Amino acid sequence: MFFSGDPTTRKRVDLGGRSSKERDRQKLLEQTRLERNRRLYLRRQNHAAIKIQVGFIEFEFEFEFNIHCYIAALHVYVMLFAFAQGAMIVLVGKKAMEIEHSKVREQFFATYGRHIQNVNRQCFGPQSAFFRQLFFFFNARNVSDISVLVETCRLMKHFVQESGDVVGLFAGIDYSSKRALVDFRVKKFAFACIQAVHQNRKELKDQLFVTPEESNTPPTLLLEAVVLLIDSRLPWTCKVVSYLLERNVFTLLRELIVTGKESMEIHSSYGRISSLERVLTLIIPHIGQKPCICPNIDPRWSFFSQILTIPFLWHLFPYIKEVFATGRTSQHYIHQMALCVQNHANVLPHEVSMELPGYACLLGNILETAGVALSQPDCSFEMGVDLAAITTFLLKALPPIKSSRESSMVSDDDMTAGDEVMELVINRDLEKQITSAIDSRFLLQLTNVLFSGIHLLRGPHDEGPGDKEVAAVGAACAFLHVAFNTLPLEHIMTVLAYRTELVQLLWHYMKRCHEIRKWPFLPYLSGDAPGWLLPLAVFCPVYKHMLTIVDNEEFYEQEKPLSLKDIRHLIVILREALWHLLWLNPTSHPNVGKSVSSPPANKMLPAEAIQHRVSTVASEATIDGTRANEILKQAPFLVPFTSRAKIFQLASVRQRHGSHGVFTRSRFRIRRDHILEDAYSQMSTMSEEDLRGAIRVTFVNELGVEEAGIDGGGIFKDFMENITRAAFDVQYGLFKETSDHLLYPNPGSGMIHEQHLQFFHFLGILLAKAMFEGILVDIPFATFFLSKLKRKYELHTIALAYCNEHYEADISELELYFVILNNEYGEQTEEELLPGGKNIRVTNENVITFIHLVSNHRLNFQIRQQSSHFLRGFQQLIQKDWINMFNEHELQLLISGSLDSLDFDDLRQNTNYVGGYHSEHYVIEMFWEVLKSFSLENQKKFLKAAGSASEEALDRLPTSATCMNLLKLPPYRSKEQMSTKLLYAINAEAGFDLS
């Protein structure tokens, strides 16, 4: 009550003349009467609702022969239901419904018997109330109801076996007039059987995969009844299957399979088909394509999401595998999956386990049947595109899978701090299912389906790739790019390189796109990604793999796999692509400087513009964080070798001036006849800062007397030449040489030197010091060893790699096995290249793997410790980033200089003259003419004599103060005399006593 403002209290007056107590009594009586009437009304309406439902069920069974009557009955039911709701009544109370079910159940038992012993053939007919009553009270959790349903299935099986007529059993002599009623009963019957097995699956788990030949167990009878009812020859099949699909039958069947899976493995019967497999086999072809009229269902409850995600499905149901892979079935479901991928729809059920994720199981099951599906005569191009899209999507979710060979390529000695090994969470058997399925047959068939009809020859007016070719390239490249990053590479690369035309097809595509300056957009990339990115990402590794086995004759004379002209074109494309990625649009490098705006992907820069821009940024290359520095790290070959060599020298100078060694010099006292031991003992104790500083050397001759001369750099050069000659001599035992006299670590060095690994560390420092100071040393290294300075593991230099190309007979006749024999200094050992390798014969199919394993053993595994210690010493002075600017051939040039010719014009321009000589003096003119006439070997000896060693000074021979890089040249009067004296001097050897 609200306050009215009047403080007084007024007494209420009843104008009717009655007291308030009498009025309250009358009101209470009226309320009681109304409440009693309301409860009575509710009871009547509740009873009426039950009657409505029972009556409708009777109505629909009795008069459903006419479809119009059925629809009318449905309208009546809806109207009555709406009325009940409008009266605020619950349609059927649980308790009341149970009571009614019990009444009908008892009536049913009274009529047909508790074990339906009173049931005959007529009870299955349209006039009987048998099914009407059974389906009203049936409860899949009720034991007696289950028993009745099982016996009903047994009787149906018996009656059908007697007459051979399923339709007549349910419809009598005229199915067409009873179609609606019969169809309704059959689909209710089929679903009740599946529901009964599903509701009791845990109790029946040991019987779920039993075959009908083995037993007449309840689940077998129930599922065989479904098989009988959905036979494809029956007129109601699609209606029944549609009814089951609408009730998520694949979800129910999935739960049956997962529950009974372990028991099935125990009770498996080879060559026989379980009742559960028979049901699935009959349902999965219903894909809505003529003559099937089944509607499409939600992908979340479809066969591919609910059944294909079960681990190792085809091991459980081998017959379904055949049904799924052939005909239109797989194409339908794969297209359905592809649509989900395009729409980014997550339709997969919960995982069976962490090691068996649904997406990985789906991938394994699809791939296992893909080979058969792709080989079908009616396999379409669209099927290939869809399959590639699905496998690409699913593969991206997998963690990388490495083969045992790839894992052995990098040993513990090669791992640096911060390296981590990722543990795979995918079940090993599932990994094997996936990797085994992507075999040579699958890859060959997929490329054939995608590229069938796409020709390599161009017409006179080629306007570039058509839509089909663009789709094929996009699908194939997206799949292969993900596969390269996820799966072991050895068998994938070999098949793509030698059994398909992928390289030629991709090159044909890229070449035309580059020529017309138009790269079509590929839908597998983000919107701003250039169109050449994906084809190049696949083409390059496959082409590189081909080059590891192609020999010189094939490459240069036969011009395989590409012509030399095409290779030059390819280099242009690669340079432009890298320039675009690293300079114009360096989005992958967040630390680089500000970049210019990126042009459209189809407007590539010409090669001339690239070369010009490269030269303008080389000066920035030594500054971390600049785009020029990033180019040197990512694509150094865009910068000419001479420019990179100068950048390397500049970096070394900066490091020297950044070290305190520029102020303090280390001094070595070296005995000439113990040069290696003395250098090792003195250099091994130096810090990295001291190693970067200057080192001055004093030699001690055989008599123990210090040689004359002040080390202005020349004596140190002489020291470096002598020590490297001694340390890398094969006679010392640390290095061996190939047939081409190229050096690599001796695998048996530990048998000669106890401290061999410390020596390799020291030699790494020694070589780095020579390169750091710009001193050339005559040490020809094997290419595969130089690769280790770049932390690469090459396999292509083994001559055995060519045997597959040139040995045309059956390789197994050679009696080779996956073992390798090592023979070091008379001690022979045998090692297996694979577990159990001594029992694995080399055949034409596995010879490439054998070649790779042998190569890996010889080039990497045997010398892994020696190479690792050498590299650690080397990197004390020279950073990995600076070495990575050069390839192996260029590294050898940095170490030893050019072996082809010497640039004496450059030497002449950088020579200073004293003592009355000048550049136009007749003696100097004569000197350069004589020097140019020398052989290459004598020219090298002259440079050594003038810059790194002293020569005899007798009989007025030319002498050199090598400590100052100074040549003392007497004024000879003729070329003949000068030539004779120079040759005599540079071929004599002496210490610094006579300088």
Side-chain angles (χ1 to χ4, degrees):
M1 179 181 289
F2 294 95
F3 180 56
S4 64
D6 186 356
T8 63
T9 303
R10 297 179 181 178
K11 184 176 181 180
R12 294 182 178 179
V13 179
D14 188 352
L15 299 180
R18 291 176 296 180
S19 68
S20 61
K21 291 183 179 180
E22 183 180 357
R23 185 187 70 247
D24 291 343
R25 180 174 176 276
Q26 290 295 332
K27 184 177 181 179
L28 179 62
L29 290 174
E30 181 64 20
Q31 289 177 345
T32 303
R33 186 181 66 81
L34 292 174
E35 181 65 23
R36 183 171 59 252
N37 290 338
R38 190 178 72 84
R39 288 196 300 269
L40 177 61
Y41 182 73
L42 287 174
R43 284 196 298 271
R44 289 176 177 175
Q45 290 297 332
N46 191 42
H47 183 70
I50 294 174
K51 290 294 185 180
I52 288 171
Q53 185 171 7
V54 175
F56 173 69
I57 292 174
E58 294 176 350
F59 183 76
E60 68 178 358
F61 277 92
E62 294 297 336
F63 302 102
E64 204 175 4
F65 60 89
N66 189 303
I67 188 65
H68 299 289
C69 293
Y70 175 81
I71 295 174
L74 182 61
H75 281 300
V76 171
Y77 178 81
V78 171
M79 291 173 61
L80 291 173
F81 178 76
F83 169 78
Q85 279 196 325
M88 303 176 63
I89 300 173
V90 177
L91 178 60
V92 179
K94 182 178 179 181
K95 185 175 180 180
M97 199 66 196
E98 288 178 355
I99 293 173
E100 197 65 31
H101 284 168
S102 298
K103 288 182 181 179
V104 176
R105 184 181 286 112
E106 291 303 320
Q107 293 174 7
F108 179 87
F109 288 155
T111 304
Y112 302 106
R114 291 194 173 274
H115 301 291
I116 60 171
Q117 62 270 19
N118 301 329
V119 172
N120 56 25
R121 176 184 293 274
Q122 283 69 34
C123 293
F124 284 78
Q127 305 303 325
S128 172
F130 176 77
F131 282 112
R132 181 184 64 197
Q133 293 181 349
L134 174 61
F135 294 149
F136 174 71
F137 68 76
F138 178 77
N139 182 354
R141 285 291 188 184
N142 187 296
V143 176
S144 62
D145 291 358
I146 295 294
S147 177
V148 168
L149 189 64
V150 170
E151 290 304 314
T152 302
C153 294
R154 191 191 307 275
L155 284 173
M156 180 183 68
K157 179 181 178 181
H158 172 70
F159 292 147
V160 171
Q161 286 177 343
E162 282 185 343
S163 65
D165 184 7
V166 182
V167 177
L169 179 64
F170 286 92
I173 59 176
D174 185 12
Y175 167 70
S176 60
S177 63
K178 306 289 192 303
R179 178 186 297 272
L181 175 62
V182 172
D183 289 354
F184 187 83
R185 287 184 174 182
V186 171
K187 61 188 181 185
K188 294 281 287 186
F189 190 10
F191 182 70
C193 292
I194 294 176
Q195 189 181 37
V197 179
H198 175 263
Q199 290 290 330
N200 300 276
R201 62 188 181 279
K202 293 182 180 179
E203 295 81 3
L204 301 173
K205 64 180 181 180
D206 293 336
Q207 305 171 28
L208 293 177
F209 286 86
V210 175
T211 65
E213 294 84 1
E214 291 179 301
S215 172
N216 280 332
T217 58
T220 303
L221 288 169
L222 291 167
L223 294 173
E224 282 299 312
V226 178
V227 171
L228 195 61
L229 294 173
I230 61 174
D231 187 296
S232 59
R233 296 166 294 182
L234 299 177
W236 57 61
T237 303
C238 281
K239 291 185 179 180
V240 176
V241 173
S242 296
Y243 185 83
L244 299 179
L245 293 175
E246 290 168 0
R247 281 149 183 78
N248 301 336
V249 67
F250 286 127
T251 303
L252 304 181
L253 295 175
R254 172 189 174 84
E255 293 175 357
L256 290 181
I257 296 169
V258 173
T259 302
K261 181 172 177 290
E262 295 181 0
S263 300
M264 182 269 180
E265 293 171 355
I266 299 173
H267 299 99
S268 60
S269 300
Y270 296 101
R272 297 179 179 179
I273 304 174
S274 69
S275 300
L276 184 56
E277 185 173 9
R278 284 157 61 87
V279 171
L280 272 169
T281 302
L282 291 172
I283 294 178
I284 62 173
H286 286 263
I287 55 179
Q289 298 180 8
K290 292 182 179 180
C292 174
I293 59 172
C294 294
N296 290 325
I297 61 173
D298 191 320
R300 290 175 296 175
W301 321 120
S302 69
F303 173 73
F304 85 81
S305 62
Q306 294 295 324
I307 305 300
L308 282 180
T309 53
I310 296 174
F312 313 111
L313 178 68
W314 311 130
H315 299 184
L316 304 175
F317 302 131
Y319 181 66
I320 296 182
K321 176 182 178 181
E322 181 180 344
V323 173
F324 175 77
T326 56
R328 298 173 299 173
T329 307
S330 60
Q331 295 192 40
H332 167 78
Y333 287 114
I334 285 174
H335 181 64
Q336 195 178 38
M337 285 183 271
L339 293 177
C340 292
V341 169
Q342 293 174 8
N343 298 326
H344 306 286
N346 183 11
V347 298
L348 301 185
H350 295 299
E351 317 291 6
V352 175
S353 71
M354 293 297 293
E355 288 190 343
L356 297 167
Y359 72 88
C361 297
L362 177 61
L363 176 63
N365 290 330
I366 291 174
L367 288 173
E368 194 171 333
T369 58
V372 177
L374 291 171
S375 65
Q376 297 300 306
D378 60 345
C379 182
S380 64
F381 170 79
E382 290 74 19
M383 163 73 168
V385 173
D386 287 342
L387 181 61
I390 295 164
T391 51
T392 300
F393 176 79
L394 297 175
L395 271 175
K396 282 195 295 187
L398 278 182
I401 302 172
K402 291 185 177 180
S403 67
S404 56
R405 185 180 70 82
E406 288 176 318
S407 300
S408 66
M409 291 282 287
V410 180
S411 65
D412 294 338
D413 296 310
D414 299 318
M415 294 186 66
T416 58
D419 289 342
E420 296 181 357
V421 178
M422 184 177 65
E423 290 291 334
L424 298 179
V425 297
I426 302 299
N427 177 276
R428 292 292 182 182
D429 291 333
L430 183 54
E431 283 185 2
K432 185 177 180 181
Q433 182 191 28
I434 294 170
T435 54
S436 300
I438 304 180
D439 57 5
S440 58
R441 179 187 178 191
F442 170 78
L443 294 171
L444 186 60
Q445 290 172 338
L446 179 61
T447 52
N448 287 343
V449 169
L450 290 176
F451 293 100
S452 176
I454 297 176
H455 303 290
L456 295 176
L457 297 178
R458 290 183 293 175
H461 304 289
D462 186 15
E463 297 180 357
D467 293 341
K468 182 176 180 180
E469 185 176 0
V470 172
V473 169
C477 290
F479 166 72
L480 292 173
H481 177 63
V482 175
F484 292 165
N485 294 328
T486 307
L487 304 177
L489 293 179
E490 60 265 18
H491 66 293
I492 297 180
M493 287 296 184
T494 301
V495 172
L496 292 175
Y498 299 108
R499 298 192 60 187
T500 71
E501 291 187 335
L502 182 70
V503 165
Q504 291 78 9
L505 288 165
L506 289 182
W507 169 244
H508 179 65
Y509 172 85
M510 294 188 299
K511 183 179 179 181
R512 285 185 296 153
C513 292
H514 183 262
E515 288 175 347
I516 65 175
R517 299 289 171 178
K518 181 179 179 181
W519 293 88
F521 171 73
L522 299 178
Y524 299 89
L525 297 174
S526 60
D528 58 346
W532 42 259
L533 188 60
L534 194 53
L536 273 179
V538 173
F539 174 85
C540 290
V542 181
Y543 183 67
K544 179 183 177 183
H545 182 80
M546 298 181 77
L547 295 181
T548 62
I549 298 183
V550 170
D551 58 21
N552 289 344
E553 178 183 350
E554 292 171 314
F555 185 83
Y556 289 106
E557 297 180 15
Q558 300 178 21
E559 297 194 359
K560 292 182 178 179
L562 296 180
S563 68
L564 298 180
K565 180 181 178 181
D566 282 343
I567 291 174
R568 287 190 289 270
H569 193 166
L570 173 62
I571 292 172
V572 172
I573 294 176
L574 290 173
R575 286 179 179 271
E576 292 178 358
L578 287 168
W579 183 258
H580 182 96
L581 292 173
L582 298 175
W583 183 260
L584 297 179
N585 189 25
T587 55
S588 60
H589 308 292
N591 295 327
V592 301
K594 183 178 179 181
S595 63
V596 298
S597 60
S598 175
N602 61 342
K603 294 183 179 179
M604 308 295 292
L605 293 177
E608 295 79 6
I610 291 178
Q611 294 292 343
H612 173 71
R613 294 295 296 273
V614 167
S615 63
T616 64
V617 301
S619 59
E620 304 175 14
T622 59
I623 303 174
D624 288 336
T626 62
R627 284 178 291 169
N629 183 263
E630 288 298 318
I631 287 179
L632 280 179
K633 290 180 180 179
Q634 304 294 332
F637 46 84
L638 291 176
V639 181
F641 169 71
T642 53
S643 299
R644 282 178 281 134
K646 290 178 181 178
I647 292 170
F648 177 81
Q649 292 172 359
L650 178 60
S652 300
V653 170
R654 287 186 176 179
Q655 286 192 355
R656 283 199 296 272
H657 286 279
S659 167
H660 66 75
V662 72
F663 304 110
T664 61
R665 297 179 175 179
S666 302
R667 298 192 176 275
F668 287 0
R669 191 171 184 272
I670 304 294
R671 294 171 295 172
R672 282 195 177 272
D673 53 352
H674 293 82
I675 186 171
L676 187 57
E677 293 83 353
D678 289 353
Y680 173 75
S681 63
Q682 296 178 63
M683 192 173 285
S684 297
T685 60
M686 297 176 67
S687 66
E688 288 188 18
E689 291 296 321
D690 290 336
L691 287 170
R692 290 190 178 92
I695 297 177
R696 294 296 174 249
V697 175
T698 299
F699 279 115
V700 178
N701 62 20
E702 293 81 354
L703 302 176
V705 178
E706 291 186 356
E707 296 180 0
I710 300 174
D711 190 358
I715 298 179
F716 177 69
K717 291 181 182 179
D718 182 69
F719 159 74
M720 291 296 291
E721 282 198 351
N722 281 279
I723 190 174
T724 52
R725 187 188 307 120
F728 290 94
D729 192 329
V730 294
Q731 298 300 320
Y732 193 69
L734 292 177
F735 277 80
K736 296 181 74 173
E737 63 180 10
T738 66
S739 58
D740 297 328
H741 306 291
L742 302 177
L743 299 175
Y744 66 95
N746 180 7
S749 59
M751 302 175 67
I752 301 175
H753 300 282
E754 185 177 352
Q755 295 183 320
H756 67 123
L757 296 180
Q758 290 85 341
F759 274 117
F760 276 105
H761 185 273
F762 164 67
L763 293 184
I765 295 175
L766 200 64
L767 179 64
K769 182 63 175 175
M771 296 177 67
F772 192 80
E773 298 291 345
I775 299 173
L776 300 178
V777 291
D778 189 15
I779 309 174
F781 288 113
T783 302
F784 68 86
F785 178 65
L786 289 173
S787 296
K788 300 187 184 308
L789 299 183
K790 298 165 61 65
R791 297 191 67 83
K792 289 167 56 180
Y793 301 89
E794 300 292 346
L795 301 180
H796 65 271
T797 54
I798 284 286
L800 182 61
Y802 300 131
C803 77
N804 190 49
E805 296 293 315
H806 299 284
Y807 190 82
E808 298 179 356
D810 187 357
I811 291 180
S812 61
E813 297 176 355
L814 298 177
E815 290 290 334
L816 294 174
Y817 292 85
F818 277 76
V819 296
I820 194 166
L821 294 176
N822 300 314
N823 191 350
E824 299 293 343
Y825 302 103
E827 182 177 331
Q828 191 174 79
T829 59
E830 181 181 274
E831 294 184 58
E832 290 186 329
L833 297 172
L834 288 174
K838 62 183 178 182
N839 298 319
I840 304 176
R841 179 178 289 192
V842 179
T843 65
N844 289 47
E845 287 72 28
N846 62 20
V847 65
I848 296 296
T849 300
F850 175 74
I851 291 169
H852 286 171
L853 290 173
V854 171
S855 301
N856 176 53
H857 184 85
R858 295 294 191 203
L859 305 183
N860 298 318
F861 184 77
Q862 274 192 327
I863 59 174
R864 67 192 186 285
Q865 290 185 318
Q866 294 90 331
S867 301
S868 177
H869 281 77
F870 188 96
L871 179 61
R872 291 172 187 172
F874 185 82
Q875 289 184 340
Q876 283 190 244
L877 282 176
I878 297 182
Q879 300 176 16
K880 180 177 180 290
D881 287 344
W882 298 115
I883 287 300
N884 285 344
M885 290 194 303
F886 307 98
N887 61 31
E888 290 78 1
H889 173 70
E890 292 169 340
L891 276 179
Q892 188 64 60
L893 289 178
L894 285 180
I895 294 170
S896 303
S898 174
L899 301 178
D900 300 328
S901 63
L902 301 174
D903 190 352
F904 278 95
D905 291 333
D906 181 71
L907 179 63
R908 183 172 185 175
Q909 292 175 4
N910 291 279
T911 300
N912 296 321
Y913 305 96
V914 295
Y917 285 142
H918 52 81
S919 61
E920 297 180 356
H921 194 282
Y922 80 94
V923 175
I924 299 302
E925 294 281 356
M926 185 169 53
F927 166 75
W928 290 114
E929 292 177 9
V930 169
L931 200 55
K932 283 188 175 181
S933 68
F934 283 179
S935 65
L936 179 61
E937 184 63 27
N938 284 329
Q939 287 177 342
K940 290 181 185 179
K941 289 181 178 180
F942 167 78
L943 288 179
K944 174 184 174 182
S948 300
S950 71
E951 307 299 340
E952 294 186 15
L954 302 179
D955 193 22
R956 288 187 57 78
L957 293 175
T959 62
S960 60
T962 58
C963 56
M964 302 297 179
N965 295 325
L966 176 65
L967 176 67
K968 302 173 183 178
L969 184 66
Y972 299 114
R973 295 186 177 276
S974 67
K975 292 182 181 180
E976 293 75 14
Q977 182 187 23
M978 181 179 288
S979 177
T980 302
K981 298 295 185 180
L982 278 173
L983 288 174
Y984 186 85
I986 64 179
N987 284 286
E989 294 186 0
F992 283 90
D993 293 332
L994 300 178
S995 342

